[in-house]
Amino acid sequence: MSGKTIQFVQEVFAHADIRVGGDRPWDIQVHDPGFYSRIVRDGSLGLGESYMDAWWDAQHLDQFIYRILTGELRKHVPRSFKALRLLVAEKYFNRQSKSRAVVVSDAHYNLGNDLFQVMLDERMVYTCGYWKDATTLAEAQVAKMDLVCRKLGFEKGMHVLDIGCGWGSFAKFAAERYGVSVVGIGNAVEQIELGSEMCKGLPVELRFEDYRDTKGSYDRVVSIGMFEAVGPKNFRKYMEVVDRCLKKDGLFLLHTIGANRLNTDPDAWTDKYIFPNGYLPTIAEIAKSIEGLFVMEDWHNFAAYYEKTLLAWHANFERGWPALKEKYGERFYRMWTYYLLSFAGSFRARSNQLWQIVMSKKGVPGGYVSLR
């Protein structure tokens, strides 16, 4: 191991006030000297993989990632070849084409319902909670779903399309609380199967269906935490599908994680292990995709609540790990820990945003009343 490589990495970390071998919660302990050359060679992919391999640790991983992001350490490290390859692929190819749509489902959402039943709240809501008046994860998720229903002005008897329905958590809530009927679509088999059981007896139909194939006429359309899988080459098509399915006087709510800047490098570790082919849209990309189709009525950012949601998921995961350990193994444990805590750090750093956007076709007569 070159002394220059070690010195370079330590100097880069120093820009974020991170010490190798330090005793503060965000400092790191290196267990394998190969760590240094690995992150120089592979960047964020090497950082995440070396954590999975137990080459290093940090007492509070979320604080370590927060300092990396707020310290803008990417400016001090050249792009790795793998990161460049990912950036080129995103620019020139449709990584979220219809034929590739199930890749993220197979890699993530079909990992096993037992994992998500341990990690999530009892309703199995896998998106950011709304913590304004909530004190528990369950309360935050109910508050979020109720906020969506109120923003869309649900009334009994309305017909609702839920694009990216997951386990049908929102569909079930809306049907029970507001008396609407819901068609939910998704492309994760395990989610659809369990969700259909959870929604049994309610006016809810969950379908294994790509959004590009969806037809019908609906009073309201909602999409909570799915747009991140659509991709920039499909944003306009996605909005055209919503336009096709939404009645003339209907409302559409889009709930999505967003990026601060266009052409941000995709994170190679996240793309490989957590959300393959994922892409976070910017404000400009969303605006361009709805031009001529929708009027933006309300734009609500509550990204700060995602850190709290992720930390709650991580606490549940830690408590439930003994029941999962034999099936998933130690490397998965470190991978999932890195995922949850690094994302918590990124939202604390405000590197990622969380938006709820309400849209109408021609504008709400008299104006839309924003709800918070």
Side-chain angles (χ1 to χ4, degrees):
M1 171 58 56
S2 166
K4 288 184 178 180
T5 302
I6 295 174
Q7 183 180 355
F8 170 73
V9 172
Q10 290 178 341
E11 287 175 354
V12 169
F13 281 148
H15 287 289
D17 191 26
I18 296 168
R19 298 176 196 153
V20 176
D23 58 3
R24 297 167 301 178
W26 58 85
D27 289 330
I28 69 168
Q29 315 303 317
V30 175
H31 310 307
D32 190 310
F35 164 79
Y36 298 100
S37 58
R38 193 169 183 178
I39 66 169
V40 169
R41 182 186 69 240
D42 295 335
S44 68
L45 178 62
L47 185 67
E49 285 186 334
S50 60
Y51 183 84
M52 291 166 61
D53 292 336
W55 285 16
W56 64 276
D57 279 296
Q59 184 180 346
H60 288 288
L61 187 58
D62 53 318
Q63 293 186 33
F64 168 74
I65 295 296
Y66 166 78
R67 286 183 173 269
I68 281 182
L69 294 172
T70 54
E72 298 184 301
L73 296 197
R74 278 192 174 190
K75 292 181 177 179
H76 303 282
V77 180
R79 282 191 179 117
S80 70
F81 172 76
K82 292 174 183 178
L84 282 171
R85 186 173 60 184
L86 197 56
L87 188 63
V88 169
E90 192 68 70
K91 184 174 181 178
Y92 292 104
F93 301 99
N94 186 354
R95 300 201 309 134
Q96 301 83 12
S97 64
K98 189 176 176 181
S99 64
R100 296 172 59 85
V102 298
V103 172
V104 67
S105 297
D106 290 341
H108 192 92
Y109 300 104
N110 287 333
L111 280 170
N113 287 326
D114 55 347
L115 167 65
F116 295 103
Q117 285 170 323
V118 162
M119 186 179 84
L120 305 177
D121 64 297
E122 63 182 16
R123 294 177 178 271
M124 294 191 74
V125 185
Y126 195 21
T127 48
C128 182
Y130 194 63
W131 294 85
K132 181 182 176 183
D133 299 310
T135 57
T136 67
L137 178 62
E139 290 175 355
Q141 296 296 13
V142 167
K144 186 266 303 300
M145 292 188 291
D146 191 63
L147 181 66
V148 170
C149 294
R150 290 186 291 116
K151 284 182 175 182
L152 287 171
F154 278 1
E155 296 177 2
K156 189 174 182 179
M158 280 185 170
H159 198 32
V160 178
L161 173 64
D162 182 357
I163 302 175
C165 60
W167 291 275
S169 310
F170 176 77
K172 184 175 188 290
F173 177 87
E176 289 174 337
R177 295 287 184 94
Y178 285 85
V180 299
S181 63
V182 185
V183 170
I185 64 169
N187 54 22
V189 174
E190 289 204 18
Q191 285 188 321
I192 297 297
E193 289 178 350
L194 178 58
S196 296
E197 286 295 316
M198 292 168 59
C199 296
K200 191 170 287 187
L202 293 169
V204 172
E205 178 189 359
L206 304 186
R207 301 174 183 167
F208 182 80
E209 183 173 285
D210 188 273
Y211 70 89
R212 283 158 280 219
D213 297 328
T214 299
K215 294 180 175 61
S217 179
Y218 298 88
D219 300 293
R220 300 290 188 266
V221 177
V222 62
S223 185
I224 306 175
M226 179 270 179
F227 198 64
E228 301 90 337
V230 171
K233 289 181 170 51
N234 307 299
F235 287 163
R236 182 67 177 186
K237 175 64 177 178
Y238 178 94
M239 294 301 176
E240 288 172 347
V241 169
V242 176
D243 177 60
R244 180 178 75 209
C245 293
L246 186 63
K247 291 181 180 178
K248 185 178 178 180
D249 60 349
L251 291 175
F252 165 46
L253 184 142
L254 178 68
H255 172 121
T256 183
I257 300 173
N260 291 329
R261 293 187 298 272
L262 194 62
N263 295 324
T264 301
D265 291 2
D267 181 79
W269 184 86
T270 302
D271 187 82
K272 181 175 180 179
Y273 290 100
I274 306 299
F275 296 114
N277 304 327
Y279 182 91
L280 300 185
T282 65
I283 291 173
E285 287 174 313
I286 293 174
K288 184 178 180 181
S289 72
I290 69 173
E291 192 170 314
L293 296 176
F294 297 109
V295 173
M296 192 280 289
E297 300 285 358
D298 185 55
W299 198 303
H300 183 187
N301 187 347
F302 53 92
Y305 292 153
Y306 228 140
E307 177 195 355
K308 200 166 184 176
T309 303
L310 283 153
L311 291 177
W313 289 342
H314 177 253
N316 286 346
F317 175 67
E318 285 285 346
R319 281 192 294 269
W321 178 245
L324 302 171
K325 185 176 182 178
E326 185 175 348
K327 176 180 176 181
Y328 291 94
E330 184 64 20
R331 197 165 192 264
F332 179 91
Y333 168 78
R334 292 185 68 89
M335 179 187 80
W336 210 250
T337 297
Y338 190 82
Y339 153 52
L340 294 171
L341 293 182
S342 64
F343 271 51
S346 74
F347 279 99
R348 184 184 307 160
R350 298 305 304 276
S351 296
N352 297 328
Q353 307 308 318
L354 190 284
W355 301 319
Q356 279 192 354
I357 311 162
V358 179
M359 304 173 225
S360 65
K361 284 200 169 186
K362 300 295 181 182
V364 174
Y368 178 84
V369 178
S370 298
L371 297 172
R372 298 289 186 268

